[in-house]
Amino acid sequence: MGKKIESFRVYGVNSLKTLTPSLDDLVGDQIVDLVAQDDARRVDVVCRVHVIAVDLERTGKMAALRETTAWSPAAGTPMPTGRMTFEDGTGLDFREPAKTKRITFAVRRR
């Protein structure tokens, strides 16, 4: 909480379920709350201006990153479904074990 978004990239081709507002509109927005459903399969990342609804499906995981940049195949790590980086150099990965990307993201204005 309190972190400002530097970038948010969705690498799963079918994972982004909204086009407006764009992911670039999230840059500079500050996270004010995380709201998880009882089963922790749905998480809302609540920012000052936007809400990012994340559906982790059955096997998806969120992982905090101590330091990060945008994902690249050259990094030699498995592709996340999505990666959010913050202005302080930390980040969040949204990952799942299968190559079929089932995690979904929907962005809306508050």
Side-chain angles (χ1 to χ4, degrees), residues 13 21 42 49-50 56 93:
V13 68
R42 275 195 46 100
V49 180
H50 302 91
L56 294 168
D93 259 4

Side-chain angles (χ1 to χ4, degrees), residues 25-84:
D25 290 343
L26 297 171
V27 173
D29 207 350
Q30 185 175 25
I31 297 175
V32 295
D33 201 4
L34 290 174
V35 179
Q37 300 274 333
D38 288 338
D39 63 359
R41 297 289 65 176
R42 275 195 46 100
V43 176
D44 286 343
V45 179
V46 182
C47 301
R48 290 196 184 279
V49 180
H50 302 91
V51 175
I52 306 161
V54 182
D55 186 345
L56 294 168
E57 282 291 326
R58 293 182 308 269
T59 61
K61 306 267 187 244
M62 281 188 343
L65 304 170
R66 291 182 190 201
E67 58 182 277
T68 190
T69 58
W71 177 83
S72 165
T77 59
M79 178 179 69
T81 304
R83 176 173 284 180
M84 185 180 296

